Amino acid sequence: MHRGVLLAVVACVGATSLLTAAYTPAHLRALTPDSAFADILAEYQTGDPRRAVEVLSLWSEARVDAEAVVSEGAVGLVPRAAVALLLTESGMASRRFGRIDPDLVQMSHGYWGLEKAFEVHSYRAYTLMEKLVEHAKATNDSALQQWVTSWYILTSSYCLKFTSLYVRCGQGLYEKGVHHADDDDAEVMLWRGSMMEPPILSRWRTKHNLSDVRAGHESRQWFRKALERDPTMVEARMRLGRSLHLTQNDPDATEILERALADALASNHVFAAHLSALTLGEILEDNGQLLDAIPYYRQAVEIYRGHSASVALGMALVRTGQRLEGWEQGRLMFGTRGPGNESLLDPWVVVRAAQYWQTASRIAEMRQAVRQ
């Protein structure tokens, strides 16, 4: 995400952004599901945003529809942005964001934004964002424009991660977001490429389940464009290398991933470094060089103990006669799993969901624009 963009939004709109209602100070409020939306919104903007999201996520859709609106007395842009982001977060927290009315799920939705067939969190947030981007274009406010684009990146990636019969919001949000976005922005290019990647996890699955020689071509074009615009964009380089290996078995993938790994380590980009090392290990294993793959698998686990990398390392160790260490890797991986513990985010799995992996950090940055 563009550094300084969100703070710039605050600077641009903060002067006329205060809600007109008087609120109880944050440390004196005690939110419950019965609290008024105005109090929940105030907590989100001035107190504990996680508590506000938690409480609103407990509301029924009917109550959200009736009460979770921008106050008639609100002034400026921040109230709209705050309501939109709070609705987005609470919809995601309750796993309702982007769902379609079951009675309308078989209808064509056009893939151009969202329609009223979508549940209230996503549809209302979307309509508010459309108003914000309309203002941004009318006033040539590039900072606000970038903030809205960040919302489209966030939500389309979320929808891609949870796509199902009832969650079909990804393509519509992607198409509308691209329409509003800056075509020359490297982050937008990376987003477009990652949204278009075919859902492939391994070279083995490609060989057995995919025969289209064009698979991944358009996404690789966007990754290359992103790197032309910004050669330091290590995620684009990592995704380019992975795509070349998974879809083409291209020998150039190794060199590209080696540079991606070096650059990611130098810039402390954990996601790109982990997946670069893991994919380099996969390439060697696919070529029958299992012993040579182990150092890369080990490096991937040292960078971040993802489940898939841990399994790859453990299996490689066992298969090469290093059974004690191999089983120990398995115990280390599963040692933090079980009742009461949340599984770690596995980069190997979420890489297919565009920019979903950065949801928490993106939301944290976006919140800064609506805090008071």
Side-chain angles (χ1 to χ4, degrees):
M1 193 181 302
H2 297 274
R3 297 298 174 188
V5 165
L6 300 175
L7 295 179
V9 175
V10 176
C12 290
V13 303
T16 57
S17 66
L18 296 179
L19 296 173
T20 58
Y23 293 116
T24 303
H27 69 282
L28 297 180
R29 287 194 300 268
L31 291 185
T32 71
D34 294 327
S35 296
F37 180 70
D39 290 325
I40 297 174
L41 181 62
E43 181 72 19
Y44 185 71
Q45 293 185 274
T46 65
D48 183 354
R50 293 171 297 181
R51 177 59 180 159
V53 170
E54 177 187 5
V55 170
L56 189 61
S57 68
L58 298 175
W59 280 23
S60 67
E61 289 196 32
R63 188 178 178 195
V64 171
D65 188 31
E67 300 180 33
V69 297
V70 180
S71 168
E72 291 184 2
V75 179
L77 304 178
V78 167
R80 289 181 183 176
V83 171
L85 192 57
L86 175 55
L87 284 170
T88 300
E89 285 201 62
S90 62
M92 290 178 177
S94 61
R95 286 289 186 265
R96 287 181 284 179
F97 187 93
R99 294 182 67 85
I100 301 175
D101 184 335
D103 295 332
L104 302 174
V105 71
Q106 300 300 334
M107 296 176 61
S108 172
H109 300 286
Y111 294 136
W112 185 245
L114 300 184
E115 304 166 6
K116 289 186 178 180
F118 287 89
E119 55 78 38
V120 63
H121 300 82
S122 53
Y123 180 69
R124 182 162 295 162
Y126 162 73
T127 58
L128 288 169
M129 286 294 171
E130 286 295 286
K131 292 178 181 177
L132 288 172
V133 78
E134 181 180 340
H135 177 89
K137 290 181 177 180
T139 60
N140 198 28
D141 188 337
S142 60
L144 179 59
Q145 173 75 54
Q146 290 170 348
W147 191 84
V148 172
T149 295
S150 191
W151 182 84
Y152 276 105
I153 294 173
L154 166 73
T155 54
S156 61
S157 298
Y158 171 91
C159 294
L160 181 61
K161 173 68 171 70
F162 295 103
T163 295
S164 67
L165 177 62
Y166 297 110
V167 180
R168 297 184 179 179
C169 47
Q171 191 65 26
L173 290 173
Y174 169 72
E175 296 288 352
K176 202 62 176 290
V178 166
H179 171 73
H180 294 316
D182 179 359
D183 290 338
D184 292 328
D185 189 318
E187 184 184 28
V188 170
M189 296 172 185
L190 171 62
W191 168 48
R192 297 188 68 168
S194 61
M195 285 291 295
M196 292 178 179
E197 284 188 287
I200 300 169
L201 284 172
S202 66
R203 177 65 190 163
W204 183 89
R205 292 188 183 183
T206 307
K207 290 190 294 185
H208 290 82
N209 300 332
L210 186 67
S211 59
D212 187 352
V213 297
R214 299 168 300 173
H217 174 71
E218 190 169 1
S219 61
R220 289 192 295 276
Q221 284 187 313
W222 283 114
F223 297 145
R224 289 189 171 103
K225 287 181 179 180
L227 288 167
E228 288 174 3
R229 174 64 60 183
D230 181 2
T232 68
M233 187 159 279
V234 293
E235 184 183 346
R237 197 176 305 280
M238 175 273 291
R239 287 183 180 272
L240 174 61
R242 276 182 58 82
S243 179
L244 286 169
H245 170 62
L246 294 176
T247 65
Q248 304 286 308
N249 199 27
D250 191 321
D252 290 342
T254 297
E255 182 179 352
I256 292 171
L257 286 164
E258 285 175 345
R259 178 175 173 185
L261 176 57
D263 291 349
L265 289 172
S267 60
N268 197 31
H269 197 302
V270 173
F271 184 75
H274 174 89
L275 284 167
S276 296
L278 178 57
T279 310
L280 285 165
E282 291 173 340
I283 291 173
L284 289 166
E285 182 171 353
D286 290 342
N287 292 337
Q289 300 170 264
L290 192 54
L291 280 171
D292 294 328
I294 289 175
Y296 282 115
Y297 288 152
R298 194 185 302 280
Q299 186 175 18
V301 171
E302 289 172 352
I303 293 168
Y304 178 85
R305 186 169 290 280
H307 296 143
S308 298
S310 296
V311 169
L313 174 58
M315 290 182 62
L317 289 167
V318 170
R319 289 167 59 194
T320 55
Q322 304 172 70
R323 291 180 175 81
L324 289 178
E325 186 183 358
W327 288 116
E328 179 62 18
Q329 288 297 326
R331 282 189 288 271
L332 288 171
M333 179 189 72
F334 290 111
T336 58
R337 301 195 61 169
N341 292 302
E342 183 178 353
S343 299
L344 292 172
L345 194 69
D346 189 348
W348 190 78
V349 175
V350 300
V351 71
R352 297 185 303 165
Q355 301 303 299
Y356 176 77
W357 69 272
Q358 56 174 231
T359 294
S361 59
R362 185 174 291 278
I363 286 176
E365 288 197 43
M366 291 186 71
R367 281 177 183 166
Q368 296 304 311
V370 300
R371 297 286 286 176
Q372 294 180 348

